[in-house]
Amino acid sequence: MKQEIITIQGIQVRLYSLNTVIVGSGAAGFNAAACLQNNSVEDIAIVTEGRMSGTSRNTGSDKQTYYKLTLAGTEGDSVREMAETLFRGGAMHGDIALTEAAMSARCFHRLAALGVPFPHNRFGEYIGYKTDHDPRQRATSAGPYTSRYMTECLEREVRDKNIAIFDGFRVIGILTDDAKTRTLGLIALDLNGLDCPETRYVVFNCTNIVYAVGGPAGMYSASVYPGSQTGATGTALEAGAEAVNLTESQFGIASTQFRWNLSGSYQQVLPRYISTDHEGGDEREFLNDWIDNPGALLDAVFLKGYQWPFDPGKIRGGSSMIDILVYHERELKGRRVFLDFRRNPSALMDGDDADFSRLGDEAFRYLEQSGLLFGTPVERLRKMNDPAYELYREHGIDLEREPLEIAVCNQHNNGGLAGNVWWESNLAHFFPVGEVNGSHGIHRPGGSALNSGQVGSTRAALYISKRYNDGPAAADVFLESCGQQIENRIGMGESIASTAGSGATTADQRRELQRRMDRAGGIIRSRESADEARNAALEVLERFRDTTGISSIYELPDAFINYDLLVAQYVYLTVIADYCGQGGKSRGSYLVHDSEAALPHGSLPDMFRFSLDEGCLSDSVQTLRYRDGVCDIRWDDVRPIPESGGWFETVWNDFMNDRIVK
């Protein structure tokens, strides 16, 4: 890595030249860096806004899942079968599905070897369990902090290799050639040097970019993403990176004070769902108003453990009716909603005693076999999964003493930036990996995102090592290609910086854009609401430079984050409106309003009328490219799963003669 000083608009700026910059310090980013060096690409560095921030390190669930090929027992499995499971989720390319399946065991065993404590039996079998959309038992877990353990083990490997880490650098621009066919570098804010223009900006001249920035977490206020994660999808869209399936976000019930998915044990122990007014009074078990059969109510709560993501296919008579009722109580009635583990729900009670015979067969059998036909929800939780109780206590919430405030929250983006089977974008030399890559379709097995991040970063590293392991351009050549882009981005930054002390607007902008996304891009959608919200986002975006003010220079990063989020929001709302305009109906993790359809409950408002898509667009992938404020959208047929396997001698010959990586 070479460092020198360049002058842009009279400002001296640091320029670093190297082969590859990895943006992001989660599990995918750290794995990319380690795999690059393992493949003899050593002129690399990690650039991260905050090493301890991000979703991989700061999120999880009752039992955070990693999805991979079956590695235990007598049940048959194959790479092809796993690929078909992924492909059946709809709107997913078959070659990506096959790659994720084929690489899953390799990536899993690498993590286990690095020290991630995945459980195995005394014979070395990694025992699995079924997760959502999983026909076998491919799921495994290292507990609620699986992705954190992955990140910590991978970071330790990176540090052992002495790979450079630029900690405290926010990427604010991706630099490309004039035709936007390939990336050439990055421009970032040095968060530790904001006081002075000469230390404020840093430019990276690099042959390759591995983009591991996570999902666009900052777009929603009702979110289970950690507050430290905002995302940087908009920056890549602005640079010309294509995106796929941006309509397909995932939502579910989560706690709001401490952001955490409330799946698994938290639901299976049958807590009370209660709501209150804003002062905590007028407590009511509101589910009873909508589900008059106690057994059906209890079964729906229990099944939320298995069926955590909101799914319109599970509303009528199913567990996702719970999400609808939580949303209705909180967003429409304006009440606060809680899970209460201190007392049993009234639907379970016969006088002063719990009557577990009211449960359906599946819930009763599960609780019976777990030895949980007793006590209160928190007592059952502590016996079945005490770490799930301790998790909240460690964050200042004692479930034995207080209820847990909840909402239906944005949790994951199945869509994202497009990539091929080497995770390379339409922009050559640009590799989006992890959640920012839209490899998933409409549905995905729980835990497949963790596998995808490891597979994608491993594949990107291999491709770079074989095909792009050359040095960066000379500084003068680089500046001739990118100088104007750098000037424009620094000019924007200095324009905003000049408002320091005049009054901040960034916090208001963030709240406004998040409320807009909650309303139009959450679990309830329509073409009309998406169009209206998109136009509002575009108006703010077009006036951004003239209307953004900061109270101090330390809010400059927030201004750039808002700009990134506004670009992303405009694009996301555009594709949602397009999906609805194509006749797209309710699928995945959202409901599309259909005025001609029936309501799931006669007392719900008209906005909840919906009909299921029944797979009408599942064989297509919605692909978008953002060009100078305009969204070009096309619908591509999904690529089928390729014929897998092959004749050993032929594959061996191709492998030995370097004809595989292409």
Side-chain angles (χ1 to χ4, degrees):
M1 181 166 52
K2 180 180 179 181
Q3 178 183 353
E4 53 196 302
I5 301 295
I6 59 175
T7 301
I8 302 290
Q9 294 183 331
I11 300 172
Q12 291 189 324
V13 177
R14 286 165 288 167
L15 173 68
Y16 294 93
S17 298
L18 65 167
N19 173 268
T20 299
V21 170
I22 303 99
V23 185
S25 56
F30 279 131
N31 186 61
C35 288
L36 280 164
Q37 194 171 105
N38 289 341
N39 284 295
S40 301
V41 183
E42 299 186 352
D43 189 18
I44 64 176
I46 293 172
V47 173
T48 178
E49 188 174 2
R51 184 181 59 83
M52 300 301 292
S53 302
T55 298
S56 294
R57 196 184 294 269
N58 294 290
T59 195
S61 62
D62 134 273
K63 186 167 61 177
Q64 194 181 17
T65 298
Y66 192 102
Y67 193 68
K68 44 94 187 101
L69 199 68
T70 304
L71 297 173
T74 59
E75 187 179 69
D77 201 359
S78 70
V79 168
R80 181 76 185 199
E81 283 188 53
M82 182 173 168
E84 289 172 348
T85 298
L86 297 171
F87 187 66
R88 276 197 301 272
M92 183 179 190
H93 288 305
D95 50 359
I96 300 290
L98 182 61
T99 305
E100 290 191 357
M103 294 285 290
S104 68
R106 171 181 170 179
C107 290
F108 171 79
H109 283 300
R110 169 171 153 73
L111 291 169
L114 288 173
V116 179
F118 292 114
H120 58 78
N121 65 17
R122 63 192 293 258
F123 306 107
E125 293 177 293
Y126 286 95
I127 305 301
Y129 58 88
K130 278 190 179 183
T131 184
D132 45 307
H133 307 295
D134 174 20
R136 297 201 175 274
Q137 294 185 347
R138 298 186 180 117
T140 186
S141 173
Y145 293 120
T146 299
S147 64
R148 176 185 296 185
Y149 297 149
M150 290 166 56
T151 304
E152 290 171 345
C153 289
L154 290 161
E155 180 186 5
R156 186 164 57 245
E157 183 184 21
V158 163
R159 291 193 176 278
D160 288 345
K161 295 176 181 297
N162 295 314
I163 294 171
I165 301 176
F166 289 80
D167 195 359
F169 290 76
R170 169 78 193 192
V171 171
I172 59 173
I174 296 171
L175 309 172
T176 71
D177 62 352
D178 289 340
K180 291 191 174 183
T181 61
R182 64 160 293 176
T183 56
L184 301 173
L186 300 159
I187 181 169
L189 283 179
D190 183 345
L191 305 185
N192 301 305
L194 294 172
D195 288 330
C196 175
E198 276 69 29
T199 57
R200 194 173 292 157
Y201 305 100
V202 179
V203 176
F204 295 89
N205 164 29
C206 51
T207 308
N208 309 293
I209 300 169
V210 178
Y211 206 58
V213 297
M219 282 201 301
Y220 294 85
S221 61
S223 172
V224 75
Y225 287 97
S228 57
Q229 160 111 12
T230 54
T233 301
T235 303
L237 293 170
E238 189 180 38
E242 288 189 348
V244 294
N245 291 338
L246 296 184
T247 54
E248 305 309 310
S249 290
Q250 186 167 284
F251 301 84
I253 293 170
S255 52
T256 56
Q257 182 180 344
F258 164 60
R259 296 180 173 188
W260 204 255
N261 294 341
L262 288 167
S263 58
S265 306
Y266 294 113
Q267 305 289 346
Q268 290 158 341
V269 298
L270 304 176
R272 289 199 312 153
Y273 276 77
I274 61 173
S275 70
T276 71
D277 59 28
H278 271 279
E279 287 68 45
D282 188 30
E283 178 185 302
R284 301 178 63 252
E285 288 189 64
F286 64 95
L287 297 185
N288 297 343
D289 299 338
W290 303 91
I291 307 175
D292 55 13
N293 182 317
L297 188 157
L298 295 169
D299 285 351
V301 173
F302 175 82
L303 287 172
K304 276 277 72 171
Y306 293 132
Q307 302 169 355
W308 177 80
F310 172 69
D311 181 348
K314 296 183 176 71
I315 293 177
R316 293 188 170 97
S319 62
S320 285
M321 187 65 179
I322 302 290
D323 303 77
I324 288 291
L325 298 178
V326 170
Y327 181 93
H328 179 266
E329 196 78 4
R330 188 176 188 271
E331 305 301 330
L332 301 188
K333 296 180 68 175
R335 290 171 63 83
R336 300 172 69 189
V337 183
F338 301 84
L339 287 188
D340 182 9
F341 293 86
R342 300 167 299 174
R343 292 166 50 195
N344 283 314
S346 59
L348 185 64
M349 301 303 292
D350 182 5
D352 294 331
D353 299 319
D355 181 4
F356 292 98
S357 69
R358 296 182 177 186
L359 297 172
D361 289 343
E362 183 178 3
F364 183 87
R365 186 168 58 252
Y366 181 92
L367 293 176
E368 181 183 43
Q369 292 179 350
S370 301
L372 298 176
L373 298 178
F374 75 96
T376 62
V378 71
E379 289 170 340
R380 294 191 286 271
L381 182 67
R382 296 206 66 177
K383 177 175 180 181
M384 178 164 68
N385 188 354
D386 194 56
Y389 164 80
E390 290 293 340
L391 172 72
Y392 277 97
R393 201 165 69 86
E394 290 167 4
H395 289 85
I397 301 170
D398 189 342
L399 300 181
E400 290 185 325
R401 297 178 180 274
E402 60 187 303
L404 182 65
E405 190 156 12
I406 65 170
V408 180
C409 294
N410 178 239
Q411 185 261 351
H412 190 273
N413 194 187
N414 283 1
L417 303 179
N420 60 20
V421 295
W422 301 102
W423 270 248
E424 186 175 20
S425 166
N426 61 295
L427 293 175
H429 298 266
F430 183 70
F431 297 83
V433 302
E435 189 185 345
V436 76
N437 184 287
S439 65
H440 308 291
I442 302 163
H443 294 288
R444 62 177 179 85
S448 59
L450 294 184
N451 174 62
S452 179
Q454 295 303 289
V455 170
S457 50
T458 300
R459 295 280 287 183
L462 178 59
Y463 193 88
I464 289 169
S465 72
K466 292 288 188 179
R467 300 293 173 256
Y468 292 159
N469 193 7
D470 49 345
D476 58 342
V477 175
F478 169 75
L479 290 172
E480 185 177 347
S481 299
C482 301
Q484 189 61 55
Q485 297 172 60
I486 299 169
E487 285 188 18
N488 291 344
R489 195 47 43 114
I490 289 179
M492 177 179 174
E494 291 305 283
S495 175
I496 297 171
S498 70
T499 70
S502 63
T505 61
T506 55
D508 291 338
Q509 278 180 346
R510 185 79 54 86
R511 282 190 292 268
E512 179 188 6
L513 75 87
Q514 289 177 337
R515 285 195 295 265
R516 187 161 51 238
M517 203 66 188
D518 286 345
R519 289 193 303 267
I523 67 168
I524 310 296
R525 302 178 178 183
S526 70
R527 182 174 185 178
E528 294 74 20
S529 64
D531 275 334
E532 181 181 351
R534 175 192 62 185
N535 293 336
L538 180 60
E539 182 180 350
V540 177
L541 187 60
E542 289 175 339
R543 296 185 295 110
F544 182 84
R545 192 160 172 170
D546 296 328
T547 59
T548 298
I550 55 178
S551 60
S552 78
I553 194 62
Y554 300 107
E555 289 182 352
L556 182 60
D558 289 317
F560 272 110
I561 290 170
N562 285 354
Y563 182 76
D564 172 274
L565 291 172
L566 281 164
V567 172
Q569 181 175 78
Y570 171 66
V571 169
Y572 273 69
L573 291 169
T574 298
V575 298
I576 289 172
D578 176 74
Y579 173 80
C580 296
Q582 295 288 331
K585 298 183 183 296
S586 302
R587 72 179 191 182
S589 198
Y590 54 88
L591 182 158
V592 175
H593 177 251
D594 181 350
S595 61
E596 303 299 317
L599 286 167
H601 190 288
S603 298
L604 284 169
D606 183 74
M607 64 186 292
F608 291 101
R609 295 184 184 276
F610 78 97
S611 53
L612 296 175
D613 79 319
E614 298 178 344
C616 63
L617 292 173
S618 296
D619 292 334
S620 301
V621 171
Q622 186 194 45
T623 305
L624 169 139
R625 188 167 183 184
Y626 177 75
R627 304 168 186 259
D628 301 320
V630 177
C631 294
D632 293 331
I633 300 173
R634 66 179 190 270
W635 287 82
D636 300 326
D637 292 339
V638 296
R639 299 187 295 269
I641 301 175
E643 289 300 319
S644 56
W647 182 251
F648 178 82
E649 304 298 341
T650 303
V651 174
W652 185 21
N653 189 273
D654 286 343
F655 183 83
M656 295 298 290
N657 288 283
D658 194 20
R659 291 193 291 263
I660 297 296
V661 181
K662 60 182 181 180

